[in-house]
Structure formats: C-alpha cells, structure tokens
Amino acid sequence: MNNIEELIAQLCPEGVEFRELGEVMSITRGASPRPILNYLTNDPDGISWIKIGDVNSKYKYITKTKERITKEGAEKSRHLKKGDFVLSNSMSFGRPYILAIDGCIHDGWISMQNFESELISDFLYHLLRSDIVQKYWKQKASSGTVQNLNADIVKATKIPIPPLPIQQEIANILDNFMQFEAELQVELEARMRQYEYYRNDLLNFENKVVEWKTLGEIGEFVRGNGLQKKDFTETGVGCIHYGQIYTYYGTFAHKTKTFVSPEFAKKLRKAQKGDLIIATTSENVEDVCKMVAWLGDDEIAVSGDAYIYKHNQNPMYLAYYLQTPMFFDHKKKYMTGTKVIRVSGKDMAKFKIPIPPLTEQNRIVAILDQFNKLVNDISVGLPAEILARRKQYEYYRGKLLDFKSVSNG
C-alpha cells in the first residue's frame, strides 16, 4: 500500500480522471451464425468458438474451448483476439474474462477491445469485478427472472483511470491474492476428486441385490412459481430462487439466504423438510439439475425454473445419488436449449435409482456426510481458508480501487 500511496502522491496527487468505458474502448455484443450447428467443425484449423457454458467462473482467463467453427462461420460472428475481454450479459451476470486465445463469441457475450493505451488488462479485470462496477450494472440491468446486461449499460459505466504505473502496482497486489486462493482451490479440487471417488463407489449397486425404481415412482415433481429477485424482503418466509442453488447452496440447507413477505408467500408453492429443490435451468451442463436437500423445519417458497421433489426416502441419499455420473449421463440425454439449458421434471422422473432399505441409505449418508463436510463446509478446513482469502482479496480490492476524482477537487 505504501508504494501505491507514493505513486499517487507523485503521479496524481489531485485525484484521477473518471471516464465512461465507452470513451476508452470498443464495446459490442457478440454475434452467432445461424444455425450454429451448420458451422461447427472438427477441423483443427477451425476458429475457437467461445461459449458461456464452457467457461469456469473460478478462472480469470479463457484458455481453450470445446468447439470450433468454420472460417465461414467466423465471418458471421464476432471475432476477438488474445487480450480482449468478454462479459456475460445474462445468468453469470457481468462476469469478466480475459481471452488467452483468439476466437469468436456468440451473442451471450459482450466484447471489450482496443483499451490498451488507457488501461492495463489485469487492472481492468479487477476493476470490472469490483463493487463500484457490479452494483452499477445490477441497478441498470433489466429486472426479469434473468438480468440482462447490454452494451449501452457497459459503455455508460464510469471508471477511475489512474496512471499506468499505479494500475500495474494494484494489479500485481490483487493478482497475488488471487494466486494464493487459486493454489488453495487446486488442493481442494484434489480432495473433491477423492470424495467423488468414494461417493460413486458407495453408490454403485451393480451386481448387488437391490430394488430399482424411477424417480417418478418414488416421488412427485412440483414446479415452483412466481418468485423473482425483486420480491425478496429482509425478513419473512424463507425462499430459494433457482439461481441460488448453483451459486450459494451446497448439498443441503437448514436456512435460506433470502425471504419473501408472508402475504406474497401465500401465492407460491412450498417445499417441506426433506424435499429436494432442483434447478432446471442453467447456462451449462454441470449446473442444470443441481439440487439442494431442504432440511429446515419450516416450509419455504420456491421460484420457477426449479422443481420441488417430494418423496419418502432419505433426502441426503437421493441428493448424493443425483450427483453421480449416472444421473449426469441421464440429464444429458434430455437437455434442451443451447444458450440456456433446461431439463423438465417429466424427463427427470424417468431416471432409475437403486432403493436400498432406509437403514442402508442412512449408513451411506453418514459416511458421505463426513467427506462432504471436509470439502464443502465453509466453516472448516480448506473451504473456510478459501473464503477467508476471498474476503481479504475483496477488502483490499475495495480499498485499492477507491480513488478521488480529480473533477471533485
């Protein structure tokens, strides 16, 4: 911090200029050739096709893609070069990525180019993730079930532009925080692979005498309804919005993050203790059909784009089994959509699952609960350390990016 304070005193003692992003770079929406299937190719000389569903929000860079498109398709889409930025304009709202490859982007992205004379890319990355920018975007974006960030909002966003040496010093400090968190994340992922191995082994009933039934035979799928983020209140009846299932909750929950008023809750469908709440809409294959077992005593409201699954089994047994590769392969067969992926309750109901006696379900759950705590409980071990480092990064990011405007004197 002292070095940055010295640089500020030397280079911009009166403050820094704040300018709109549209003044310092080119900002455009992505474009998709239609229909995209006609332009996908296995040719190694094809152009990288960068989709929102293929990226990992844990990472700063996009280094590779799963698909390529032909040169003809590239001419009909938005072509970007290494070092350019992309922003998600929908479900992973406003998440920035730096391209480490050349490629083309579909219309789910917003591109940011030609800023090198004014901004260092690593500084810009941290700035775009900061509260100063993210809060502005959320205020201006549409307020439907899925918020949309358009290019005009991004262009109008005012940001501080300190001298380049200050940008570089700030980027170096914040990158170090991110690197430490990334190293912890690698260790956690190794433990998670161990957990997944034991989970899949315990839930493998091949060559065992056990009854198999479909989810539709042992339970009922009830679709949530009518709940949007704008309906949240400070207190009241607990509620779960489908987007929170893959951004906030783990395998189970006893408390909700958000609430709605008791009057509004009367209009909504409810989950009771032991029900599963399953998100049926996502931008990627991994998150669609992610579920949380509701273990709280009170009934809670559930949004649309989610199903409440009612049954008479051990809810944690079902939740663990629906994390296995067997269910992953099943949902892939029934997915619809490209930009937004969906799976219906009718198709989930077709999935066959082994139903051992409840005593055996309880035994399996007791073992897996211990593994789950080690890799997912944010109050202990690596998850707690990662969360602490993330908060530390966010704290210093806020401090380092808090500039006085030169126009304010």
Side-chain angles (χ1 to χ4, degrees):
M1 291 287 286
N2 289 337
N3 190 33
I4 292 176
E5 290 170 355
E6 291 174 4
L7 286 172
I8 290 174
Q10 176 185 351
L11 300 175
C12 52
E14 302 303 320
V16 303
E17 186 179 13
F18 279 64
R19 296 172 64 188
E20 293 184 357
L21 284 171
E23 297 176 9
V24 295
M25 65 181 69
S26 302
I27 298 171
T28 53
R29 183 172 177 173
S32 301
R34 311 282 187 189
I36 185 61
L37 290 177
N38 290 352
Y39 298 98
L40 296 179
T41 179
N42 293 322
D43 187 343
D45 292 328
I47 311 299
S48 294
W49 180 236
I50 303 166
K51 298 190 301 182
I52 289 178
D54 291 341
V55 300
N56 191 323
S57 61
K58 298 175 185 175
Y59 299 110
K60 179 178 179 180
Y61 297 96
I62 296 177
T63 59
K64 60 182 178 180
T65 62
K66 295 179 181 178
E67 296 176 328
R68 293 178 174 272
I69 60 172
T70 62
K71 293 181 179 178
E72 181 186 3
E75 292 173 356
K76 299 180 180 181
S77 63
R78 186 79 62 205
H79 199 284
L80 302 184
K81 67 182 185 304
K82 182 178 178 180
D84 291 338
F85 272 70
V86 288
L87 299 172
S88 169
N89 71 358
S90 55
M91 292 174 70
S92 53
F93 181 89
R95 177 75 193 194
Y97 297 90
I98 304 174
L99 295 186
I101 54 174
D102 295 341
C104 291
I105 60 171
H106 66 62
D107 53 13
W109 292 111
I110 292 172
S111 68
M112 307 175 77
Q113 301 173 281
N114 306 319
F115 51 79
E116 292 81 3
S117 63
E118 302 273 2
L119 293 160
I120 292 171
S121 61
D122 292 319
F123 172 81
L124 177 60
Y125 172 82
H126 297 294
L127 187 61
L128 294 177
R129 291 188 65 191
S130 68
D131 288 344
I132 189 175
V133 172
Q134 291 289 325
K135 286 182 178 179
Y136 175 79
W137 286 349
K138 285 181 170 60
Q139 289 171 356
K140 295 294 182 179
S142 59
S143 58
T145 302
V146 177
Q147 283 191 304
N148 284 291
L149 178 67
N150 63 49
D152 288 337
I153 294 172
V154 177
K155 290 177 183 178
T157 306
K158 282 195 171 183
I159 62 164
I161 305 182
L164 295 179
I166 295 175
Q167 292 185 33
Q168 188 62 68
E169 187 69 17
I170 290 173
N172 290 343
I173 292 171
L174 295 178
D175 279 349
N176 285 336
F177 282 119
M178 285 191 68
Q179 179 61 31
F180 192 21
E181 181 185 333
E183 291 169 358
L184 292 171
Q185 191 68 44
V186 168
E187 185 177 349
L188 178 61
E189 288 171 0
R191 290 194 187 182
M192 290 186 71
R193 287 192 294 271
Q194 183 184 38
Y195 156 66
E196 289 169 1
Y197 169 82
Y198 284 105
R199 181 195 66 202
N200 296 339
D201 184 61
L202 283 166
L203 295 173
N204 182 1
F205 289 89
E206 187 176 355
N207 300 322
K208 295 180 182 179
V209 179
V210 66
E211 186 177 20
W212 289 76
K213 290 186 177 182
T214 66
L215 292 177
E217 290 175 317
I218 63 170
E220 175 189 12
F221 288 89
V222 178
R223 191 175 184 86
N225 69 309
L227 169 62
Q228 299 182 25
K229 293 178 181 178
K230 65 181 179 65
D231 301 314
F232 294 162
T233 57
E234 291 296 323
T235 59
V237 176
C239 66
I240 291 182
H241 186 272
Y242 81 96
Q244 297 169 341
I245 296 175
Y246 48 76
T247 58
Y248 179 79
Y249 292 104
T251 305
F252 63 91
H254 291 88
K255 298 180 180 179
T256 63
K257 178 183 181 182
T258 49
F259 304 87
V260 292
S261 69
E263 294 77 16
F264 186 72
K266 293 176 183 178
K267 306 175 185 178
L268 305 177
R269 298 191 180 98
K270 313 291 195 307
Q272 280 79 36
K273 184 174 184 177
D275 291 345
L276 300 187
I277 304 169
I278 307 173
T280 59
T281 300
S282 178
E283 291 179 347
N284 60 68
V285 178
E286 288 73 23
D287 283 339
V288 71
C289 293
K290 188 176 184 294
M291 74 288 301
V292 54
W294 175 244
L295 304 182
D297 292 327
D298 298 327
E299 68 175 15
I300 58 170
V302 176
S303 75
D305 284 319
Y307 279 98
I308 304 163
Y309 181 62
K310 298 181 176 295
H311 57 90
N312 58 2
Q313 307 299 312
N314 184 315
M316 290 300 294
Y317 171 78
L318 295 179
Y320 284 131
Y321 199 88
L322 297 183
Q323 294 174 357
T324 62
M326 291 78 82
F327 183 66
F328 185 86
D329 291 341
H330 175 83
K331 72 180 182 182
K332 283 182 68 176
K333 295 178 184 177
Y334 295 100
M335 292 186 312
T336 60
T338 52
K339 180 180 175 182
V340 177
I341 299 169
R342 301 178 187 275
V343 179
S344 71
K346 179 181 177 181
D347 289 326
M348 281 190 286
K350 300 173 184 175
F351 182 60
K352 278 196 170 184
I353 184 170
I355 307 294
L358 283 174
T359 53
E360 178 63 7
Q361 292 185 31
N362 296 341
R363 184 189 73 85
I364 292 171
V365 166
I367 296 171
L368 291 179
D369 279 350
Q370 295 303 311
F371 280 105
N372 187 55
K373 185 175 183 179
L374 289 174
V375 299
N376 291 318
D377 191 335
I378 62 171
S379 66
V380 297
L382 282 172
E385 180 69 9
I386 290 172
L387 182 60
R389 295 302 175 186
R390 186 169 303 150
K391 288 182 176 179
Q392 187 179 37
Y393 160 76
E394 292 170 353
Y395 171 80
Y396 281 104
R397 183 182 64 196
K399 288 286 187 183
L400 291 168
L401 298 177
D402 184 17
F403 291 97
K404 179 177 71 173
S405 173
V406 68
S407 61
N408 294 333

